[in-house]
């Protein structure tokens, strides 16, 4: 007798099936961090026990490998249909077409609930149907591998599948469930050992059981000790998940074609706010009112957008700073002392939670930052950058200087733009670039100043009759992700913020993307808590003499009212108090506020400034300006933005990066000409025919441009638009050629 057949004969067979069933039930504890509890686990355990009885009974009557598992599958499916899917008034013992149809409807409902719920998710009956069915499949797979096929070691793969959601999402299950499952798995392996003599077999079994129990106990006891060893922190563990034990990080390569998955409910920041003073008030003690000044906490800004993806621009020079001096994107304020005469001062003390970032979340307004460790300031991006990442318990303090912004001040911000903002005017050269310019002109027709144009763009996007907040993104239809968003009119903050940024650039207004966190919610202890679900993106527009100013195009259902200086219904008069600068983080939603489908559940307020009742006024204003918009669209359709600083070398790197996503790669040792030949060969191998003539010409032209740029004493000059067109042509061709393999293998344009 071999180890493979030991579990298929005698008493070992039903014992092994019982162990597999017990291990399946304990493995369900992996989902305890994802689900809100309930009786579903008991129902799953009963279903597994009944199915195990059927499998064991059939196996005792036959030597077939597959028949016991097939009988268990049929019995389990019958039980699920009878218990969960029997239509009202029907006999549960006689499933029919109506039962199957109802089961399909319940499965569809369960899928929708799982996609739109937040952790911990309540277990509604449709979801319980899926959970119990999954438990039965796990048992049947583990039993087939361990007993039917005589490969008990592979049964661990079935249990690993149960733990995969908790590991990937970062919401750990029960530690005791993990220990129990591991213990039962080791017992199963011990049971599969070939018996020798009775005495030796008993002794070996005792040794294996004792060793398994000892291993589990030692693992549980040694975990905290090992974690406390200083050397453990030297290891850079992978960032897996965003749950209770997984670190939270903000992506800086935002892709407009990606749907938004469920956001982490972990607390990433805790902070308190104290009023220090202003030009009107010597001191303020109301933390809620003063906290409204701080606004969102920004981690970093982004400049470069290629039509689909945001990318980091080349690293700028970092500088040390005096903790007592202001940090600001305005060079005139860098290093200056805080001054209550310029606005309102607020003292913010922050403690880091489950956030692992090299860039420190700070207020969007000028501030001092006092933090221990090696931190520097990036003036070009207005970021506080560290050599390492933040850790749990990291603390820092900011003195925020909030300027008294008003519509009049921003309308009067005129003058020449500094040279260092030219890069913030680049518009991707996609097939819909002119359409975007025309739309921007139409939306802002009649706006005389850059501020009024920005206000018109923000109002356009926050109009609930036009756009809907949705975390699901439709598949690409063009090479321009912004245009696709404007066509579908559904998206989340990244789509809204990017669209306003790009449209503002077409109007000659420098714009960038800010990424960070919304203010969060205040507790009874007057401490604000920011979770991963508060992650947010917004546009910042540059006004001469004022600097970068935040706008909020994302609908109120997710963000609340816009800042006072960009509120279209209060922009006719200056703000009476700087404390009205931004919405209260813990404002209570007004009556009638709706929750967006797929909302992250962050608890952010839905405001009343963008009420649908005001939409007719906006529509009427746009209709009155229709004639002027049409004339402006014709004029601005021919208007080109400043030249994109795109070189042949940079274009070649962008093309290579995008092709790698589709599995088309080449070595650094290849010359551009050799790399182009490699691309042709790989495309031919994938689809059985070569690149189209247009794609081949574009690839060859770009390769020649790179060669001359690298090696020619006097390289040719190429317009950025020409280089961008070559990139888009090759990517579109390759994307079409590989579409049958993986729908998301290659961005159509980015």
């Amino acid at each position: 007798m071999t180890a493979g057949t030991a579990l298929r004969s005698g008493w070992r067979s039903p014992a092994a099936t019982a162990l597999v069933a017990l291990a399946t039930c304990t493995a369900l504890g992996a989902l305890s961090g994802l689900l809100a509890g309930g009786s579903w686990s008991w129902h799953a355990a009963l279903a597994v026990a009944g199915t195990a009885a059927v499998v064991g009974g059939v196996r005792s009557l036959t030597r077939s490998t597959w028949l016991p598992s097939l009988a268990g599958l049929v019995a389990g499916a019958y039980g699920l249909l009878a218990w969960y899917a029997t239509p009202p008034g029907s006999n549960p013992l006689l499933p029919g077409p109506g039962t199957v149809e109802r089961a399909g409807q319940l499965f569809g409902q369960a899928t929708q609930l799982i996609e739109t719920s937040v952790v911990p998710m309540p277990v509604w009956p449709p979801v319980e149907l899926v959970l119990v069915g999954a438990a039965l499949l796990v048992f049947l797979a583990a039993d087939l591998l361990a007993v039917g096929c005589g490969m008990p070691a592979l049964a661990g793969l079935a249990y690993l599948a149960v733990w995969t959601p908790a590991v990937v999402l970062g919401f750990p299950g029960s530690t005791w469930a993990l220990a129990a499952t591991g213990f039962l798995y080791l017992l199963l392996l011990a049971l599969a050992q070939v018996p020798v003599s009775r005495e030796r077999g008993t002794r070996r079994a005792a040794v294996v059981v004792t060793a398994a129990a000892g291993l589990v106990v030692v693992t549980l006891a040694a975990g905290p000790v090992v974690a406390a060893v200083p050397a453990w922190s030297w290891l850079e563990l992978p960032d897996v998940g965003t749950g209770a034990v997984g670190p939270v990080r903000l992506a800086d390569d935002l892709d407009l074609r990606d749907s938004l998955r469920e956001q982490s409910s972990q607390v990433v920041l805790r902070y308190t706010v104290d009023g220090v003073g202003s030009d009107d008030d010597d001191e303020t003690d109301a933390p809620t009112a003063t906290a409204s000044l701080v606004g969102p906490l920004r981690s970093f800004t982004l400049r470069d957008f290629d039509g689909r993806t945001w990318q980091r621009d080349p690293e700028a020079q970092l500088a040390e700073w005096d903790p007592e001096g202001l940090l600001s994107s305005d060079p005139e304020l860098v290093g200056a002392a805080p001054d209550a005469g310029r606005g309102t001062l607020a003292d913010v003390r922050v403690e880091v939670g489950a956030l692992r970032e090299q860039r420190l979340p700070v207020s969007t307004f000028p501030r001092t930052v006092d933090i221990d460790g090696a931190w520097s300031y990036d003036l070009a991006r207005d970021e506080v950058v560290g050599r390492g990442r933040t850790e749990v318990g990291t603390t820092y303090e900011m003195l925020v200087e909030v300027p008294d912004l008003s519509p009049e001040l921003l309308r009067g911000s005129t003058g020449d733009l500094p040279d260092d903002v030219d890069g913030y005017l680049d518009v991707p050269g996609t097939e819909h670039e002119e359409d975007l310019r025309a739309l921007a002109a139409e939306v802002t027709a009649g706006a005389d100043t850059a501020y009024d144009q920005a206000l018109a763009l923000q109002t356009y996007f926050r109009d609930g009759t036009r756009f809907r907040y949705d975390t699901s993104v439709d598949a690409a239809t063009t090479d321009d992700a912004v245009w696709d968003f404007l066509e579908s009119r559904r998206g989340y903050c990244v789509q809204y913020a990017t669209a306003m940024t790009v449209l503002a650039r077409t109007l000659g207004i420098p714009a960038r993307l800010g990424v960070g966190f919304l203010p969060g919610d205040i507790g009874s202890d007057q401490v604000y808590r920011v979770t991963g679900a508060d992650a947010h993106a917004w546009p910042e527009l540059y006004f001469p003499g004022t600097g970068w100013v935040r706008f909020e195009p994302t609908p109120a259902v997710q963000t609340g009212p816009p800042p006072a200086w960009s509120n279209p219904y209060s922009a006719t008069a200056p703000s009476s108090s700087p404390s009205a600068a931004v919405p209260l983080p813990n404002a209570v939603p007004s009556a009638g506020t709706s929750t967006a489908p797929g909302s992250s559940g962050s608890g952010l307020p839905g405001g009343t400034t963008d009420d649908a009742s005001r939409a007719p006024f906006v529509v009427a204003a746009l209709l009155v300006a229709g004639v002027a918009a049409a004339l402006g669209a014709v004029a601005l359709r021919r208007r080109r933005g400043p030249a994109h600083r795109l070189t042949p070398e940079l274009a070649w790197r962008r093309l290579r990066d995008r092709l790698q996503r589709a599995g088309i790669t080449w070595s650094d040792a290849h010359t551009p000409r050799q790399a182009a030949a490699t691309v042709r060969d790989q495309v031919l191998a994938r689809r059985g025919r070569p690149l189209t003539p247009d794609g081949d010409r574009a690839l060859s032209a770009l390769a020649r441009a790179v060669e001359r740029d690298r090696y020619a004493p006097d390289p040719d000059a190429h317009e950025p638009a020409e280089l961008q067109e070559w990139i888009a042509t090759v990517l579109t061709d390759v994307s079409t050629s590989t579409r049958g393999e993986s729908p998301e293998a290659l961005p159509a344009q980015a």
Side-chain angles (χ1 to χ4, degrees):
M1 182 182 296
T2 65
T5 60
L7 296 181
R8 299 186 60 181
S9 60
W11 63 272
R12 294 172 181 267
S13 178
T17 297
L19 282 177
V20 170
L22 285 174
T24 302
C25 294
T26 58
L28 297 178
L31 304 178
S32 60
L34 297 173
L35 305 175
S39 59
W40 72 270
S41 56
W42 292 105
H43 295 164
L46 290 174
V48 169
T51 305
V54 172
V55 171
V58 174
R59 186 170 284 128
S60 66
L61 302 176
T62 179
R63 301 177 63 88
S64 171
T65 298
W66 302 95
L67 186 57
S69 299
L70 182 60
L73 180 62
V74 172
Y78 175 82
L80 288 178
L81 291 175
W83 183 263
Y84 292 101
T86 300
S90 301
N91 187 348
L93 300 179
L94 299 175
T99 304
V100 177
E101 181 181 359
R102 180 175 173 81
Q105 295 172 351
L106 291 174
F107 184 81
Q109 294 174 9
T111 302
Q112 184 178 8
L113 289 170
I114 293 173
E115 290 179 349
T116 58
S117 297
V118 296
V119 176
M121 180 183 69
V123 182
W124 295 280
V127 177
E128 182 175 311
L129 168 63
V130 172
L131 291 173
V132 175
L136 292 180
L137 291 178
V138 169
F139 162 73
L140 291 172
D143 178 79
L144 177 62
L145 289 170
V147 187
C149 299
M151 298 183 290
L154 295 183
L157 296 177
Y159 303 134
L160 180 62
V162 181
W163 286 90
T164 298
V167 172
V168 172
L169 298 177
F171 291 88
S174 167
T175 303
W176 291 108
L178 176 61
T181 305
F183 180 70
L184 293 170
Y185 177 64
L186 292 175
L187 287 182
L188 180 66
L189 296 181
L191 189 65
Q193 297 302 306
V194 179
V196 282
S197 66
R198 180 183 300 272
E199 180 180 355
R200 292 179 59 189
T202 303
R203 188 163 52 247
R204 177 179 296 181
V207 171
V208 171
V209 171
T210 303
L215 179 62
V216 172
V217 172
V218 170
T219 301
L220 293 175
V225 178
V226 174
V229 176
W232 185 257
S233 62
W234 300 347
L235 300 176
E236 185 62 28
L237 299 178
D239 293 341
V240 179
T242 56
V245 297
V248 174
R249 296 180 61 190
L250 294 173
D252 56 11
D253 56 347
L254 302 176
D255 191 333
L256 268 68
R257 296 273 164 77
D258 289 342
S259 296
L260 183 66
R261 70 174 188 175
E262 289 295 336
Q263 301 297 285
S264 171
S265 60
Q266 294 182 96
V267 175
V268 296
L269 297 170
R270 294 178 178 86
Y271 67 92
T272 59
V273 183
D274 292 327
V276 176
S278 68
D279 51 354
D280 297 322
D281 302 300
D282 293 334
E283 186 169 353
T284 232
D285 292 325
T288 301
T290 309
S292 67
L293 300 172
V294 178
L297 299 176
R298 183 183 61 211
S299 291
F300 55 86
T301 61
L302 296 172
R303 184 192 69 185
D304 295 340
F305 179 65
D306 60 11
R308 169 173 177 164
T309 307
W310 285 96
Q311 298 174 329
R312 294 283 289 178
D313 53 302
E315 293 294 334
Q317 184 176 0
L318 302 178
E320 301 296 331
W321 80 90
D322 178 4
E324 301 298 324
L326 281 178
L327 301 179
S328 171
S329 56
D330 184 355
E332 296 182 359
L333 289 180
V334 174
D339 184 0
R342 289 192 295 256
T344 300
L345 302 182
D347 186 32
V348 184
R349 290 176 293 278
V350 187
E351 179 182 357
V352 176
L355 183 68
R356 294 275 285 160
E357 274 289 347
Q358 282 187 288
R359 293 154 299 192
L360 203 65
V362 295
S363 169
T364 57
F365 296 114
R367 66 266 148 182
T368 67
V369 179
D370 187 5
I371 183 173
D372 294 332
W375 293 84
S376 304
Y377 181 57
D378 185 341
L379 176 61
R381 299 191 186 95
D382 195 12
E383 298 172 357
V384 178
V385 185
R387 295 180 184 175
R389 296 178 183 172
T390 55
E391 301 284 352
V392 175
T394 299
T395 59
Y396 58 99
E397 187 170 356
M398 296 183 292
L399 185 58
V400 179
E401 181 182 294
V402 184
D404 187 6
L405 296 177
S406 66
E408 286 72 16
L409 176 66
L410 296 176
R411 284 194 179 97
S413 297
T414 58
D416 297 331
L417 297 174
D419 295 336
D420 58 0
V421 301
D422 287 347
Y424 296 97
L425 288 166
D426 294 336
V427 178
T430 66
E431 61 180 290
H432 288 288
E433 177 186 356
E434 294 302 325
D435 295 319
L436 295 178
R437 294 182 182 276
L439 176 63
E442 179 181 355
V443 172
T444 61
D448 298 328
T449 66
Y451 166 75
D452 290 310
Q453 290 176 327
L455 198 63
L457 291 176
Q458 176 185 270
T459 302
Y460 174 73
F461 287 113
R462 290 176 69 92
D463 184 355
T465 63
R466 289 191 176 91
F467 294 92
R468 178 166 65 91
Y469 184 91
D470 197 334
T471 57
S472 299
V473 177
D474 292 341
T477 58
T478 72
D479 70 338
D480 193 316
V482 172
W483 182 256
D484 288 343
F485 162 67
L486 294 172
E487 288 288 297
S488 69
R489 299 176 181 268
R490 295 188 304 109
Y492 53 97
C493 61
V494 173
Q495 284 76 30
Y496 285 97
T498 302
M500 181 169 174
T501 299
V502 172
L503 293 188
R505 290 182 177 186
T506 67
L507 300 172
I509 305 174
R512 68 186 185 187
L513 196 75
V515 180
F517 297 95
L518 289 167
D521 299 309
I522 190 172
S524 58
D525 55 357
Q526 301 303 312
V527 175
Y528 285 89
R529 290 169 176 81
V530 179
T531 70
D534 292 315
H536 188 51
W538 61 87
E540 296 181 0
L541 279 56
Y542 186 86
F543 294 88
T546 301
W548 294 100
V549 177
R550 176 178 68 94
F551 285 79
E552 190 51 81
T554 304
V557 69
Q558 189 69 6
T559 61
W565 59 81
S566 65
N567 190 325
Y569 306 107
S570 63
T572 56
S575 173
S576 59
S577 170
S579 64
V582 288
L584 297 181
N586 64 330
V588 178
S590 61
T593 299
S594 61
T595 301
S599 173
S600 63
S602 61
L604 294 171
T608 58
T609 47
D610 288 315
D611 230 328
S613 61
R614 289 174 175 165
F617 297 96
V618 179
V619 174
L622 292 176
L623 290 176
V624 171
V627 176
L631 296 176
V634 174
L636 290 180
R637 183 178 291 273
R638 302 179 180 180
R639 177 181 174 184
R640 306 294 295 181
H644 196 296
R645 295 178 180 176
L646 186 65
T647 64
E649 191 68 43
L650 179 57
W652 188 250
R653 288 202 302 268
R654 288 187 179 179
L655 177 64
R656 181 179 183 181
D657 179 63
R658 301 307 178 269
L659 290 176
Q660 284 178 343
R661 300 186 184 182
I664 299 176
T665 62
W666 62 82
S667 169
D668 291 335
H670 282 70
T671 66
R673 193 171 304 180
Q674 292 172 332
T678 300
V679 172
R680 295 188 184 96
D681 293 341
Q682 294 185 36
V683 171
L684 179 61
R686 285 168 176 268
R687 68 174 181 179
R689 61 179 186 275
L691 290 169
T692 64
D694 289 341
D696 193 275
R697 281 194 296 270
L699 180 62
S700 299
L702 184 54
R704 285 195 300 271
V706 175
E707 284 185 338
R708 292 195 59 81
D709 189 60
R710 290 179 179 177
Y711 311 119
D714 186 19
D716 299 331
H718 293 278
E719 291 294 328
E722 182 182 32
L723 298 173
Q724 184 65 40
E725 182 180 357
W726 288 342
I727 296 174
T729 301
V730 175
L731 291 181
T732 301
D733 194 1
V734 175
S735 177
T736 303
S737 67
T738 60
R739 188 173 300 161
E741 298 180 7
S742 175
E744 296 181 358
L746 180 69
Q749 191 277 336

